[in-house]
Amino acid sequence: MNGLIPAPRNVVAGSGEVRLTARSQLYACTGTEGVGHWLRTVLREATGLPLREGRELDDTDGDGVGLRLDPELGPEEYRLVSDWSGVLVEGGNAAGVFWGAQTLRQFLGPDAYRRAPLGRDRIWAVPHVTIEDSPRFLWRGLMLDVARHFLPKDQVLRYLDLMAAHKLNVFHFHLTDDQGWRIEIERHPRLTEVGSWRARTKFGHRASPLWEEKPHGGYYTKDDIREIVAYAAERHITVVPEIDIPGHSQAAIAAYPELGNTDVIDTTSLTVWDTWGINKNVLAPTDNTLRFYEGVLEEVLELFPAEAAPFSAFVHIGGDECAKDQWKASATAQARLRELGLADEDALQSWFVRHFDNWLTARGRRLIGWDEILQGGLAPGAAVSSWRGYAGGITAARAGHDVVMCPEQQVYLDHRQDGGPDEPVPIGYVRTLEDVYRFEPVPRELTPEEARHVLGTQANVWTEVMEDHARVDYQTFPRLAAFAEVAWSRLPAPAERDFAEFERRMTVHYRVLDALGVGYRPPSGPRPWQRRPGVLGRPIEGAPPNV
Ligand code: ACM
């Protein structure tokens, strides 16, 4: 209906319309002032209408907009009624009103997403309709890897707007990796002085012979992070920071060589990594490393306050793809292993993760990590991002841990979206718009009781082969629109989903993305400037990513 994406739960269409005009007022009742400010700002920009502040709901007077809390509705639930008295958006909380306001903007059409009016006479109308809507999942996430390629702050803010337009509410911010450290930490300034840039970058996937022979880097200052967290909160989005341990840490080791396994390699010779794959240079399991990262996390907790939004107690500690070669060869690591009475290096990794699990729990936080953290047992409050398929999530849910489903086989948006030869730097599985539309986050194997541990789902955007925001746009859209509908709407079983009907709504949604300036992949394939002829990807169907 009307190109609404994600599809609402219940829609009853009427026969007239509410026209917003220069007389129209907007009244935001107590508790919805923030949403009112957001809605007035975006609609003023796009329409040029003043949308003056009404003083009471009746001021909406047939051509205005009212926003109100309704305690009868659930969190994030909203009701939008457009009729002869105007448009009224009510929500169970401010987040619900905000998602309703997003729906209102969608009704106004693609030009309502522009930053300035087009200067033509036009009618801004919301059809008479009653919508009752609420999300299927509490956690509707997008992970952006700003470590492999830095995304400047304004682009991060833009992605928060794009998430909000799709009713996504968790931004997983992948801030550290072998190829870059992107967050200012005052007590360890070399993390950004040294760790935030590299001299050159592999162009293409690992096997590509090409190099981008220029420095690449960037980081967010503490005030940038505060701004991002606040901007997200205004859009009812939680930012979950990821600080990766004990693998994916070469940028940190390059900055502070004592963090590495100094009895195995000369860590002073390491630089921020300039190519891709699983890296053998991992953190040393020493007290010095623990204290260093406790210090990092103390500053991280200050920047990401637990009370900011529903999932903001979570801190992601990575925990994936930690190569054990150096720990096997390190006398220091082996001594630690014996001292702790551990069976092997896998147990040493669990010890590492459990240390920070306890440390975060003691500070009222919750640890979340990639599914490798399941090995060795976790504190009850810890949660798991299930990326190597569904299996980790199933194990975690059965063990009573909360799970975010983000299997690489389905929702890794770095993977190519078509099997044709024109896809830029194609990697991993072919996952089309339709494949993403047919993704089911809750595995059939789980009982209803176990399935309650599936907090929700997340699409992940790894940026090894995305050198700038245009490449990120291309990989992320339009598939994020299909993902948003999977995360928000109550769709039938995958085989029964009406993809043709979704595609019809997409014809309007492509115009919304155009108005927002998103460089998506057109249904007919990449535009000439979206191709990367001759740049090698990893066209091995079925192989794991990041390898
Ligand atoms: C991952 O893709 N290594 C979490």
Side-chain angles (χ1 to χ4, degrees):
M1 133 126 218
N2 280 301
L4 293 184
I5 290 178
R9 195 179 73 217
N10 195 23
V11 180
V12 179
S15 55
E17 64 184 20
V18 173
R19 290 192 178 184
L20 301 184
T21 68
R23 297 186 25 207
S24 297
Q25 302 197 356
L26 189 156
Y27 178 64
C29 296
T30 307
T32 70
E33 296 88 348
V35 183
H37 174 73
W38 174 85
L39 186 62
R40 179 175 289 111
T41 305
V42 295
L43 293 189
R44 264 185 191 166
E45 279 180 8
T47 66
L49 300 174
L51 290 169
R52 274 184 286 275
E53 223 163 302
R55 280 190 308 279
E56 53 186 309
L57 218 45
D58 286 347
D59 284 353
T60 57
D61 205 19
D63 62 2
V65 176
L67 307 176
R68 185 166 67 185
L69 296 180
D70 177 353
E72 304 275 297
L73 298 175
E76 295 200 285
E77 185 173 11
Y78 73 90
R79 184 190 310 113
L80 183 156
V81 179
S82 164
D83 61 16
W84 53 268
S85 59
V87 184
L88 179 61
V89 180
E90 295 171 290
N93 57 6
V97 178
F98 183 70
W99 305 129
Q102 291 286 353
T103 301
L104 190 163
R105 179 163 68 151
Q106 253 186 346
F107 271 124
L108 293 173
D111 288 340
Y113 292 80
R114 296 187 183 272
R115 300 265 186 91
L118 302 181
R120 305 181 192 123
D121 272 351
R122 63 156 293 166
I123 290 166
W124 297 98
V126 179
H128 284 172
V129 71
T130 298
I131 292 195
E132 291 168 314
D133 199 11
S134 58
R136 177 179 176 200
F137 291 109
L138 296 176
W139 183 302
R140 306 179 300 281
L142 174 69
M143 189 218 72
L144 261 186
D145 166 15
V146 296
R148 269 52 176 271
H149 280 100
F150 179 64
L151 210 56
K153 185 200 72 183
D154 58 337
Q155 291 299 333
V156 174
L157 300 179
R158 175 172 164 268
Y159 261 82
L160 291 170
D161 280 324
L162 292 172
M163 286 179 67
H166 292 83
K167 300 189 171 78
L168 298 173
N169 70 338
V170 180
F171 178 58
H172 174 165
F173 205 10
H174 183 80
L175 285 164
T176 73
D177 216 304
D178 298 305
Q179 295 86 355
W181 184 283
R182 307 288 177 216
I183 175 173
E184 177 186 17
I185 300 294
E186 273 166 87
R187 73 188 76 181
H188 303 306
R190 285 174 60 83
L191 285 171
T192 44
E193 282 165 18
V194 174
S196 74
W197 68 279
R198 54 186 183 253
R200 63 172 193 169
T201 300
K202 172 67 63 174
F203 187 30
H205 214 265
R206 204 156 55 112
S208 163
L210 305 176
W211 294 93
E212 185 72 78
E213 292 285 356
K214 67 178 190 199
H216 174 89
Y219 68 93
Y220 311 105
T221 65
K222 289 193 145 180
D223 279 348
D224 290 340
I225 297 281
R226 291 185 181 103
E227 180 185 0
I228 287 166
V229 170
Y231 194 86
E234 285 170 7
R235 284 149 187 78
H236 299 277
I237 295 171
T238 307
V239 186
V240 174
E242 180 180 353
I243 305 293
D244 222 320
I245 56 162
H248 289 285
S249 297
Q250 183 166 320
I253 299 168
Y256 292 95
E258 63 273 24
L259 293 173
N261 294 288
T262 53
D263 59 349
V264 181
I265 62 153
D266 174 13
T267 55
T268 61
S269 68
L270 289 177
T271 56
V272 175
W273 211 22
D274 53 16
T275 186
W276 322 117
I278 296 180
N279 191 317
K280 291 194 170 70
N281 298 307
V282 304
L283 298 176
T286 60
D287 288 342
N288 173 63
T289 304
L290 299 182
R291 298 294 91 75
F292 184 97
Y293 274 83
E294 287 168 2
V296 168
L297 288 173
E298 272 176 27
E299 296 192 30
V300 167
L301 297 194
E302 191 259 321
L303 290 171
F304 296 87
E307 58 281 1
F311 290 116
S312 48
F314 278 109
V315 175
H316 205 292
I317 54 82
D320 59 319
E321 298 179 322
C322 178
K324 304 298 181 323
D325 312 49
Q326 291 184 354
W327 288 356
K328 285 192 174 124
S330 159
T332 308
Q334 291 301 317
R336 173 119 269 185
L337 209 147
R338 281 193 302 278
E339 168 204 323
L340 294 166
L342 300 174
D344 57 16
E345 292 75 21
D346 285 342
L348 196 55
Q349 163 153 349
S350 303
W351 165 82
F352 223 113
V353 171
R354 270 207 311 275
H355 176 83
F356 288 102
D357 192 2
N358 293 333
W359 190 91
L360 287 166
T361 304
R363 284 154 187 79
R365 297 305 189 107
R366 292 182 68 185
L367 176 142
I368 182 166
W370 302 109
D371 55 52
E372 286 95 326
I373 68 168
L374 278 167
Q375 298 152 3
L378 286 171
V384 169
S385 306
S386 186
W387 75 277
R388 296 176 300 174
Y390 288 102
I394 292 171
T395 306
R398 287 187 173 151
H401 292 291
D402 286 341
V403 177
V404 175
M405 277 295 179
C406 49
E408 59 166 328
Q409 294 83 350
Q410 276 84 13
V411 285
Y412 267 34
L413 301 185
D414 50 332
H415 289 200
R416 70 188 92 178
Q417 45 203 322
D418 189 87
D422 287 339
E423 288 310 300
V425 203
I427 62 168
Y429 306 102
V430 176
R431 290 298 175 257
T432 63
L433 182 64
E434 179 166 359
D435 291 330
V436 174
Y437 192 64
R438 295 193 192 283
F439 164 57
E440 173 49 47
V442 179
R444 272 195 303 270
E445 292 89 330
L446 294 183
T447 65
E449 183 63 33
E450 291 163 348
R452 273 201 270 282
H453 285 294
V454 180
L455 291 177
T457 182
Q458 181 173 294
N460 292 341
V461 179
W462 300 102
T463 60
E464 288 93 334
V465 298
M466 295 172 219
E467 64 275 15
D468 58 23
H469 76 272
R471 283 285 293 120
V472 173
D473 278 11
Y474 181 89
Q475 293 301 130
T476 306
F477 291 96
R479 292 183 294 182
L480 196 68
F483 175 80
E485 184 144 311
V486 167
W488 177 278
S489 309
R490 285 164 187 72
L491 296 176
E496 280 133 49
R497 293 179 190 170
D498 188 349
F499 181 66
E501 187 273 339
F502 176 74
E503 272 188 309
R504 278 195 293 281
R505 282 182 284 130
M506 278 302 295
T507 57
V508 179
H509 200 66
Y510 282 117
R511 289 168 50 220
V512 169
L513 297 178
D514 285 331
L516 285 164
V518 176
Y520 57 83
R521 179 189 190 278
S524 54
R527 298 173 199 274
W529 58 89
Q530 293 176 318
R531 298 179 194 142
R532 295 289 181 274
V535 185
L536 206 62
R538 190 173 47 76
I540 310 154
E541 179 72 352
N546 302 340
V547 175

